[in-house]
């Protein structure tokens, strides 16, 4: 299994995703600042992976803290949390993970400093393990929805590289393939950051799952030619009403799927569901550097003096979403009810 | 006005579109082989420009021919026509232009060889001038369809660079701006060849028409945000029933436009209408080198061992097309009737 990120005795070891697919380079962050920087520059990306990385970043800050009291340690960790929370605004897993580490701290703050540090490190590692387990459960639930053979389209990378391992959308595909389904994945290249061509294609190739890369602009033509039997994507935030924020271009894919009568599935852990957010219009959408659009591999593609937009995400209204696959089961419309029911569940299971 | 290609005493001088937007480099082809190569490698591209370039290529072959009889010249020109006709299969203007040069030859073959050569050169230049006039007429007809202000989305480049000058879709936008309409153009970057970011943005910037470049994947989000009031694109071939072959991704834009209730216009000269082709399923779709998808600016973006699709065009069924703007007037559904009526017209006018 691909080791996207792991807690080691030296720090947090992770795959530099900006170097894929031609170079498999691992780096080790020894400070929370390095973790924040890796999230900001998308060396680590994908909502669940960002959450786990942030938790590990807080555990790392605790490990190297010279604080002699819980109050001093808390002040340091609050600064670290603040730094991490400002890296990227859309993926709610980031804030969920930071809050979980804060809650953990409060539960153990009466213990000796050394024990608090160890408790935080264990909590971060637990979140890592839980994320993989959640993805496997999502795979189990979602695999039944996919056709027994044929093309499944995905956008961006919601795979092992976007999570602690196994993946959300690609986890569903992996589970379907493990069940013997003959899936051929169509991967949108996903401009501007090319997560589809660089990352999804790479991890599917590693697993021997057949895949075809297409430009984002080809998805409609592939659907019209009957090559796509289902769409499955991940999510950065799911609002209480089922509106889904995910990588820019997801909305276009959802509209195309509807036009062709193709089911459109979202796979996301419960930590991505933000019940405090009533609908998609309340989800903050990150605007990234326009150079991601204007320059590719260092070459200028847009002339100077022309404006550029670069929203990193879009919102797909719930009405386009056939089902949301979580580790606790499958939610269907009306999502206000189904999502809050799943969020209230404590045990993993269908 | 941008000189996309022109007949000179040295040969055919044209702008190398693969070097834009950072370099404005002109080259002069002195043989039909060089013209064929320029079309194949998309140094010259855009259906109307390809047609004019092919006509000029035939005139060029005639100019340098050593044939001493009309029969010998015809054999040479047939070989040249064959070479040129194999460069790209989808844009019907190529075949239309070659046929028109053949017809011209037949009409003048009884003249002295020197006169035939001159007649062919004049015919190619006439086609160049007619293309610009057709685009201006299209602009005149189409400008009234565009909103008086706001965003107009276009895909690929159907501008001066795709024609002898002025442009088809961008001609309509230019005419609207000349009429005082406050248009802001949203240009899809148009992967894989980036005609939107490299070419459309460049020529609009040259003309001082405000433009914003977006990834193809952002078009849906821009429409949903209410930023787009109309879509106007060019065409490589229009079937008798109004189905439109155009740059890959056009179909997705058309579906998105329909979903948002946004009018979707196609601007194309009558030479792009192929009445012999009953519907879009009969239009040959060019498959280009997958390296256009896998490699950008020389950098590998797709891992080895993963398959790639690279259709250069898609077909937008007539039901998504609000109107087709030609130099002879505007066609609306049912297109079988409106297109054949316009094709039968001999005079340019509304």
């Amino acid at each position: 299994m691909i080791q996207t990120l792991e807690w080691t005795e030296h720090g947090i070891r992770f795959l530099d995703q900006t170097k894929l697919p031609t170079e498999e380079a691992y780096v080790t962050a020894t400070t929370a600042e390095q973790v924040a920087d890796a999230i900001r520059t998308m060396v680590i990306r994908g909502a669940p992976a960002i959450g786990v990385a942030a938790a590990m970043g807080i555990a790392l800050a605790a490990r190297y803290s010279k604080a002699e009291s819980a109050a001093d340690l808390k002040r340091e960790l609050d600064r670290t949390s603040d730094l991490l929370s400002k890296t990227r605004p859309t993926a709610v897993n980031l804030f969920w993970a930071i809050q979980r580490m804060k809650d953990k701290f409060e539960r153990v703050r009466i213990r000796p400093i050394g024990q608090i540090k160890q408790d935080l490190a264990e909590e971060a590692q637990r979140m890592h393990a839980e994320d993989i387990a959640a993805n496997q459960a999502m795979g189990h639930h979602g695999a039944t929805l996919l056709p027994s053979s044929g093309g499944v389209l995905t956008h961006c990378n919601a795979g092992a590289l976007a999570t602690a391992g196994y993946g959300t959308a690609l986890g569903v595909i992996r589970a379907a393939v493990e069940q013997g389904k003959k899936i051929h994945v169509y991967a949108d290249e996903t401009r501007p950051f090319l997560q589809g061509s660089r990352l999804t294609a790479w991890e599917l190739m590693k697993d021997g799952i057949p895949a075809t890369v297409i430009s984002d602009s080809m998805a409609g033509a592939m659907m019209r030619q009957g090559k796509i039997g289902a769409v499955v994507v991940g999510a950065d935030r799911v609002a209480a009403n089922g509106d889904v924020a995910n990588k820019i271009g997801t909305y276009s894919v959802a509209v195309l799927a509807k036009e062709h009568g193709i089911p459109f599935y979202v796979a996301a852990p419960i930590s991505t569901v933000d019940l405090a957010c009533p609908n998609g219009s309340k989800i903050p959408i990150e605007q990234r550097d326009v150079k991601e659009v204007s320059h590719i591999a260092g070459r200028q593609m847009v002339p100077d003096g022309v404006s550029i937009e670069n929203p990193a995400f879009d919102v797909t209204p719930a009405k386009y979403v056939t089902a949301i696959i979580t580790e606790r089961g499958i939610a269907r419309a009306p999502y206000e009810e189904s999502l809050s029911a799943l969020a209230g569940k404590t045990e993993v299971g269908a």
Side-chain angles (χ1 to χ4, degrees), chain A residues 49-305:
Chain A
I50 289 171
V52 173
M56 286 182 173
I58 291 166
L60 198 61
R63 180 202 270 179
Y64 291 111
S65 169
K66 294 192 166 60
E68 291 179 2
S69 72
D72 284 350
L73 181 57
K74 180 172 162 46
R75 265 188 295 277
E76 277 185 38
L77 296 187
D78 281 350
R79 275 197 301 275
T80 300
S81 298
D82 195 48
L83 171 78
L84 287 162
S85 70
K86 285 176 178 154
T87 50
R88 301 195 67 193
T90 304
V92 75
N93 310 60
L94 175 65
F95 310 101
W96 169 86
I98 291 169
Q99 189 57 49
R100 181 161 154 177
M101 291 299 278
K102 284 185 175 177
D103 293 347
K104 180 70 186 180
F105 179 89
E106 291 307 322
R107 284 200 303 279
V108 301
R109 65 179 297 161
I110 54 162
R111 295 183 178 177
I113 291 282
Q115 185 61 49
I116 296 174
K117 293 180 178 185
Q118 195 177 321
D119 288 342
L120 291 175
E122 284 171 6
E123 185 72 2
Q125 290 171 80
R126 192 173 301 117
M127 287 161 77
H128 183 273
E130 283 175 9
D131 187 58
I132 295 174
N135 291 335
Q136 287 167 334
M138 251 177 266
H140 172 74
H141 297 309
T144 58
L145 299 174
L146 296 191
S148 59
S149 68
V152 172
L153 180 79
T154 190
H155 188 75
C156 195
N157 171 267
L161 292 168
T163 61
Y166 201 69
T168 54
L170 295 192
V172 170
I173 288 169
R174 282 194 167 92
V177 170
E178 286 161 14
Q179 288 179 6
K181 293 190 174 185
K182 305 288 180 212
I183 305 288
H184 186 106
V185 179
Y186 284 82
D188 278 351
E189 67 173 9
T190 317
R191 278 282 289 153
F193 217 71
L194 300 169
Q195 291 94 335
S197 45
R198 296 192 304 104
L199 310 181
T200 293
W202 181 81
E203 64 167 279
L204 292 174
M205 180 267 296
K206 281 254 176 186
D207 269 13
I209 297 173
T212 295
V213 170
I214 58 173
S215 303
D216 304 310
S217 58
M218 296 172 194
M222 295 298 136
M223 290 183 188
R224 189 158 174 268
Q225 288 166 32
K227 291 180 176 170
I228 311 296
V231 175
V232 57
V233 297
D236 288 77
R237 193 182 301 214
V238 179
N241 74 339
D243 289 355
V244 174
N246 191 45
K247 181 53 54 193
I248 187 73
T250 301
Y251 172 59
S252 293
V253 172
V255 169
L256 288 166
K258 178 193 162 207
E259 184 73 7
H260 294 86
I262 297 168
F264 178 89
Y265 301 116
V266 173
I270 287 294
S271 57
T272 301
V273 178
D274 183 6
L275 293 181
C277 183
N279 61 64
S281 72
K282 307 294 181 196
I283 301 175
I285 300 295
E286 176 183 12
Q287 305 292 322
R288 290 186 63 84
D289 191 336
V290 297
K291 277 204 168 176
E292 289 179 0
V293 175
S294 64
H295 290 67
I296 313 181
R299 189 184 294 175
Q300 182 175 351
M301 300 299 187
V302 178
D304 295 329

